[in-house]
Amino acid sequence: MTEPDVQGLQRRLAEFAASRAWQPYHTPKNLAAALSVEAAELLEIFQWMTPDEAERVMDDPEAAHRVADEVADVLAYLLQFCRVLGIDPLQALSAKIDRNERRFPVGRPPGRAARPDRHSAERWRYPH
């Protein structure tokens, strides 16, 4: 069996939705909302854990299964969202890393952009 790739997974997800006539519901707005819900379900697993408990979450088989399922749900909706809008998720991530490397050079204190830009609100976001 070969390793799955992004395009192959997107194709499988599209075929799954098409075979169930779900395409009318897979609008950018609906997919973004579903992605947000699934990300919140992932967060819910960690909601009342201490940092140490969160670090060890994968040691518990039941919790590990729940985390993996929610990660799969988040990724599935993200890949569907990207497919609908024609975004290459790997290229988008690579471009974002490039921008963050320029904005947050090594040795600069966290949270300080390399230079002010026209998106002042973005200066205060955690680099991701």
Side-chain angles (χ1 to χ4, degrees):
M1 185 169 165
T2 61
E3 286 290 315
D5 60 61
V6 171
Q7 292 81 14
L9 292 171
Q10 285 177 311
R11 190 171 34 260
R12 284 184 66 192
L13 289 164
E15 290 167 0
F16 182 87
S19 68
R20 289 152 180 82
W22 290 351
Q23 306 97 314
Y25 307 104
H26 285 193
T27 64
K29 179 192 91 46
N30 288 350
L31 291 169
L35 174 60
S36 176
V37 168
E38 295 302 337
E41 289 179 6
L42 177 61
L43 177 60
E44 183 180 30
I45 296 168
F46 296 89
Q47 186 173 11
W48 303 114
M49 289 184 183
T50 66
D52 288 338
E53 289 169 334
E55 290 287 330
R56 295 187 313 271
V57 72
M58 300 306 281
D59 294 343
D60 172 14
E62 183 179 325
H65 179 73
R66 289 178 56 217
V67 169
D69 270 0
E70 294 306 334
V71 166
D73 289 342
V74 167
L75 184 56
Y77 279 116
L78 180 60
L79 291 177
Q80 291 174 91
F81 179 82
C82 288
R83 183 177 173 110
V84 165
L85 291 180
I87 296 169
D88 178 332
L90 298 181
Q91 180 56 42
L93 177 56
S94 180
K96 181 67 175 191
I97 293 169
D98 289 345
R99 285 191 305 278
N100 279 342
E101 286 174 341
R102 288 188 302 276
R103 288 183 58 220
F104 302 97
V106 175
R108 187 168 297 272
R112 299 279 179 124
R115 59 178 174 72
D117 60 19
R118 65 177 200 241
H119 305 291
S120 59
E122 191 169 81
R123 285 193 311 239
W124 301 108
R125 289 192 358 220
Y126 180 79
H128 49 277

